[in-house]
Amino acid sequence: STAPWLEGDALYVGRRVKDDSERMVMVDAKTGEILREEATRKGYLGDLPRDLHDWEQVWRYEGSRPLVIDGTRYVAMGDLLSATDAKTGAPRWTVKRGDAAPMTSGWATPFIWDNGRRPEIVTIGRGRVVSYDLEGRELWRLRGMTQATPSPVAAEGLLYVGSGAQGDANRPLMAVRPGATGDISLTA
């Protein structure tokens, strides 16, 4: 599912309509007027409210939030990373995040890592972390993540990615240097 987010005066939220189709909606945050609505892949928005006026339900669910950078909205849902025009919703590109391996999807909010060399869109999902440039080209991948996948963070020039849940025996925390390319997975 995707959680609501604000960008300026626009509120973005997912909702389920009468025929049970799932939609992403842009609402004027001041007036509540629906400015734009677009279909999404069924089954990716989970516990969506039917009524946008039920604000308690609208804000109740959690999940990945889109990023908006220089007029482009980046959304990670399941096994896809998509870029659209933030104002019009016009598609720019979509890439499949992973391969045929198990545990490739994820719901953590993508992270923009402006590391001084290049901006990167870092996505973390069950099983792996994958970084892309702003045009959707894969830069690097790191295998070894588990199912619980918090969003990455950056500090002191490094990107930190971790996964795992309380009680899990495997809870990796890894650091990535700027400029990484290809498969940077650790080997046992």
XYZ file of all heavy atoms in Angstrom, residues 64-112:
365
model
N 4.784 2.532 1.304
C 5.722 3.335 0.541
C 5.111 4.673 0.172
O 3.950 4.762 -0.211
C 6.094 2.571 -0.733
O 6.918 3.357 -1.541
N 5.906 5.714 0.274
C 5.492 7.047 -0.167
C 6.310 7.410 -1.412
O 7.499 7.109 -1.465
C 5.741 8.072 0.925
C 4.788 7.935 2.070
C 5.218 8.825 3.227
N 4.230 8.801 4.281
C 4.122 7.871 5.208
N 4.937 6.845 5.198
N 3.204 7.933 6.138
N 5.717 8.055 -2.360
C 6.465 8.490 -3.547
C 7.444 9.607 -3.201
O 7.306 10.285 -2.197
C 5.378 9.006 -4.482
C 4.132 8.356 -3.999
C 4.291 8.236 -2.514
N 8.413 9.784 -4.069
C 9.356 10.893 -3.989
C 9.071 11.819 -5.154
O 8.766 11.356 -6.251
C 10.785 10.383 -4.142
C 11.294 9.420 -3.110
C 12.652 8.878 -3.544
C 11.417 10.106 -1.777
N 9.191 13.116 -4.941
C 9.053 14.073 -6.032
C 10.337 14.879 -6.091
O 10.728 15.506 -5.107
C 7.832 14.990 -5.841
C 7.756 16.016 -6.962
C 6.554 14.162 -5.770
N 10.997 14.826 -7.252
C 12.256 15.526 -7.457
C 12.215 16.199 -8.815
O 11.987 15.539 -9.829
C 13.453 14.557 -7.395
C 13.482 13.889 -6.035
C 14.756 15.282 -7.685
C 14.405 12.726 -5.994
N 12.424 17.506 -8.817
C 12.488 18.269 -10.067
C 11.339 17.946 -11.013
O 11.537 17.721 -12.203
C 13.829 18.034 -10.777
C 15.004 18.550 -9.960
O 14.819 19.528 -9.211
O 16.101 17.970 -10.077
N 10.126 17.876 -10.478
C 8.940 17.675 -11.306
C 8.643 16.231 -11.676
O 7.710 15.972 -12.424
N 9.426 15.287 -11.167
C 9.189 13.873 -11.450
C 8.821 13.154 -10.164
O 9.484 13.336 -9.143
C 10.427 13.206 -12.086
O 10.724 13.881 -13.306
C 10.173 11.737 -12.386
N 7.762 12.357 -10.231
C 7.318 11.551 -9.088
C 7.811 10.129 -9.297
O 7.555 9.511 -10.318
C 5.791 11.574 -9.000
C 5.242 10.712 -7.879
C 3.740 10.772 -7.826
N 3.176 10.136 -9.011
C 1.892 9.886 -9.168
N 1.031 10.228 -8.250
N 1.465 9.302 -10.265
N 8.534 9.590 -8.302
C 9.055 8.227 -8.334
C 8.272 7.397 -7.325
O 8.152 7.785 -6.163
C 10.541 8.211 -7.974
C 11.386 9.041 -8.913
C 11.712 10.354 -8.598
C 11.838 8.512 -10.116
C 12.481 11.123 -9.461
C 12.609 9.275 -10.984
C 12.920 10.587 -10.647
O 13.675 11.333 -11.503
N 7.734 6.265 -7.776
C 6.914 5.411 -6.924
C 7.428 3.974 -7.009
O 7.586 3.436 -8.094
C 5.428 5.432 -7.361
C 4.587 4.527 -6.480
C 4.880 6.846 -7.363
N 7.656 3.362 -5.841
C 8.011 1.941 -5.784
C 6.816 1.197 -5.213
O 6.360 1.483 -4.117
C 9.235 1.732 -4.891
N 6.273 0.272 -6.007
C 5.148 -0.554 -5.556
C 5.401 -1.979 -5.992
O 5.521 -2.257 -7.179
C 3.837 -0.076 -6.170
C 3.164 1.019 -5.403
S 1.411 0.984 -5.743
C 1.178 2.570 -6.461
N 5.490 -2.862 -5.013
C 5.714 -4.263 -5.337
C 7.030 -4.447 -6.055
O 8.078 -4.103 -5.538
N 6.991 -4.951 -7.289
C 8.220 -5.201 -8.032
C 8.501 -4.147 -9.097
O 9.328 -4.349 -9.978
C 8.179 -6.592 -8.670
C 7.055 -6.736 -9.684
O 6.164 -5.861 -9.726
O 7.059 -7.728 -10.428
N 7.820 -2.983 -9.025
C 8.003 -1.941 -10.034
C 8.490 -0.634 -9.414
O 8.119 -0.288 -8.294
C 6.692 -1.655 -10.758
C 6.071 -2.795 -11.550
C 4.746 -2.354 -12.151
C 7.015 -3.278 -12.639
N 9.307 0.092 -10.170
C 9.673 1.470 -9.860
C 9.241 2.284 -11.064
O 9.630 1.960 -12.197
C 11.180 1.608 -9.629
C 11.694 3.036 -9.433
C 11.132 3.644 -8.153
C 13.218 3.053 -9.422
N 8.414 3.303 -10.836
C 7.877 4.100 -11.942
C 8.180 5.572 -11.739
O 8.249 6.056 -10.606
C 6.358 3.936 -12.035
O 6.022 2.593 -12.262
N 8.323 6.280 -12.844
C 8.501 7.729 -12.833
C 7.395 8.342 -13.678
O 7.126 7.885 -14.790
C 9.863 8.108 -13.399
N 6.732 9.348 -13.126
C 5.683 10.066 -13.845
C 5.879 11.561 -13.652
O 6.566 11.990 -12.721
C 4.275 9.692 -13.333
O 4.194 10.000 -11.936
C 3.967 8.221 -13.545
N 5.273 12.355 -14.529
C 5.273 13.800 -14.354
C 4.451 14.115 -13.108
O 3.309 13.673 -12.988
C 4.670 14.473 -15.589
C 4.733 15.978 -15.486
O 3.890 16.559 -14.764
O 5.620 16.570 -16.122
N 5.016 14.845 -12.169
C 4.347 15.101 -10.890
C 3.068 15.915 -11.048
O 2.143 15.758 -10.253
C 5.294 15.800 -9.929
N 2.978 16.766 -12.059
C 1.777 17.588 -12.223
C 0.713 16.922 -13.072
O -0.460 16.984 -12.754
C 2.150 18.942 -12.819
C 2.928 19.783 -11.848
C 3.118 21.186 -12.345
C 3.993 21.878 -11.329
N 3.839 23.244 -11.212
N 1.125 16.268 -14.150
C 0.131 15.724 -15.087
C -0.112 14.233 -14.901
O -1.118 13.714 -15.367
C 0.578 15.949 -16.541
O 1.733 15.145 -16.791
C 0.859 17.416 -16.815
N 0.820 13.535 -14.278
C 0.700 12.082 -14.141
C 1.150 11.319 -15.368
O 1.101 10.095 -15.396
N 1.632 12.042 -16.390
C 2.082 11.377 -17.621
C 3.261 10.452 -17.313
O 4.209 10.856 -16.637
C 2.492 12.416 -18.662
N 3.203 9.198 -17.801
C 4.293 8.258 -17.520
C 5.596 8.684 -18.184
O 5.584 9.186 -19.308
C 3.799 6.940 -18.094
C 2.568 7.222 -18.845
C 2.137 8.626 -18.580
N 6.695 8.493 -17.481
C 8.024 8.739 -18.046
C 8.741 7.418 -18.264
O 9.310 7.197 -19.314
C 8.820 9.670 -17.142
C 8.192 11.051 -17.088
C 9.122 12.100 -16.575
N 8.489 13.407 -16.743
C 8.749 14.441 -16.004
N 9.641 14.361 -15.042
N 8.135 15.583 -16.216
N 8.756 6.543 -17.268
C 9.343 5.221 -17.422
C 8.917 4.333 -16.261
O 8.502 4.810 -15.215
C 10.866 5.259 -17.549
C 11.598 6.021 -16.476
C 12.065 7.306 -16.558
C 11.952 5.560 -15.160
N 12.668 7.662 -15.379
C 12.615 6.604 -14.495
C 11.764 4.367 -14.475
C 13.103 6.499 -13.203
C 12.236 4.260 -13.167
C 12.908 5.318 -12.556
N 9.043 3.013 -16.477
C 8.782 2.009 -15.442
C 9.816 0.908 -15.608
O 10.106 0.500 -16.726
C 7.363 1.409 -15.578
O 6.402 2.446 -15.385
C 7.125 0.322 -14.550
N 10.383 0.458 -14.491
C 11.331 -0.665 -14.532
C 10.877 -1.715 -13.531
O 10.271 -1.402 -12.507
C 12.782 -0.232 -14.217
C 13.327 0.675 -15.292
C 12.906 0.405 -12.854
N 11.148 -2.951 -13.861
C 10.881 -4.070 -12.953
C 12.060 -4.160 -12.006
O 13.208 -4.220 -12.438
C 10.704 -5.366 -13.742
C 10.239 -6.519 -12.899
C 9.800 -7.665 -13.788
C 9.425 -8.883 -13.002
N 8.193 -8.794 -12.281
N 11.773 -4.148 -10.702
C 12.813 -4.158 -9.669
C 13.151 -5.587 -9.279
O 12.651 -6.096 -8.304
C 12.311 -3.443 -8.419
C 12.000 -2.018 -8.598
C 11.359 -1.429 -7.377
N 11.765 -2.088 -6.163
C 11.126 -2.010 -5.021
N 10.026 -1.327 -4.921
N 11.558 -2.633 -3.960
N 13.980 -6.228 -10.008
C 14.347 -7.585 -9.634
C 14.355 -8.501 -10.830
O 14.292 -8.072 -11.968
N 14.404 -9.765 -10.527
C 14.434 -10.781 -11.565
C 13.512 -11.905 -11.131
O 12.618 -11.696 -10.328
C 15.871 -11.263 -11.802
C 16.576 -11.600 -10.496
O 15.910 -12.050 -9.543
O 17.797 -11.420 -10.428
N 13.734 -13.082 -11.625
C 12.849 -14.204 -11.305
C 13.125 -14.798 -9.924
O 12.442 -15.712 -9.499
C 12.997 -15.291 -12.364
N 14.109 -14.270 -9.216
C 14.450 -14.801 -7.892
C 13.315 -14.542 -6.907
O 12.551 -13.588 -7.059
C 15.727 -14.138 -7.384
N 13.184 -15.390 -5.889
C 12.145 -15.158 -4.889
C 12.453 -13.905 -4.071
O 13.592 -13.459 -4.018
C 12.204 -16.406 -4.009
C 13.585 -16.935 -4.189
C 13.987 -16.570 -5.592
N 11.451 -13.368 -3.444
C 11.582 -12.233 -2.532
C 12.140 -10.988 -3.215
O 13.090 -10.383 -2.739
C 12.445 -12.608 -1.329
C 11.815 -13.683 -0.489
S 12.691 -14.199 0.991
C 13.784 -12.931 1.430
N 11.571 -10.558 -4.327
C 12.099 -9.376 -5.007
C 11.300 -8.117 -4.730
O 11.785 -7.027 -4.951
C 12.141 -9.584 -6.532
O 10.821 -9.857 -7.001
C 13.081 -10.695 -6.910
N 10.060 -8.231 -4.282
C 9.250 -7.029 -4.114
C 9.528 -6.381 -2.774
O 10.149 -6.950 -1.888
C 7.767 -7.352 -4.247
O 7.344 -8.124 -3.149
N 9.049 -5.149 -2.641
C 9.216 -4.424 -1.396
C 8.305 -3.225 -1.355
O 7.772 -2.792 -2.371
N 8.142 -2.672 -0.170
C 7.203 -1.570 0.018
C 7.847 -0.381 0.716
O 7.174 0.574 1.046
C 5.988 -2.057 0.806
C 5.358 -3.213 0.110
C 5.506 -4.539 0.426
C 4.525 -3.172 -1.038
N 4.820 -5.318 -0.466
C 4.195 -4.501 -1.373
C 4.034 -2.146 -1.830
C 3.397 -4.826 -2.453
C 3.230 -2.478 -2.905
C 2.916 -3.793 -3.201
N 9.151 -0.426 0.963
C 9.822 0.701 1.612
C 9.863 1.885 0.660
O 10.002 1.728 -0.553
C 11.230 0.306 2.032
N 9.752 3.071 1.204
C 9.831 4.286 0.409
C 11.203 4.377 -0.249
O 12.220 4.178 0.420
C 9.593 5.510 1.311
O 8.276 5.410 1.866
C 9.730 6.814 0.549
N 11.256 4.669 -1.554
C 12.562 4.840 -2.202
C 13.329 5.985 -1.521
O 12.736 6.894 -0.965
C 12.219 5.217 -3.641
C 10.797 4.869 -3.829
C 10.158 4.902 -2.471
N 14.627 5.921 -1.607
C 15.477 6.921 -0.973
C 16.327 7.579 -2.045
O 16.944 6.884 -2.861
C 16.371 6.240 0.067
C 17.274 7.175 0.798
C 16.783 7.980 1.804
C 18.629 7.243 0.491
C 17.620 8.845 2.495
C 19.467 8.101 1.172
C 18.958 8.906 2.179
N 16.342 8.896 -2.074
C 17.222 9.600 -2.997
C 18.537 9.850 -2.278
O 18.579 10.499 -1.237
C 16.610 10.934 -3.475
C 15.426 10.668 -4.375
C 17.653 11.774 -4.200
C 15.768 10.014 -5.694
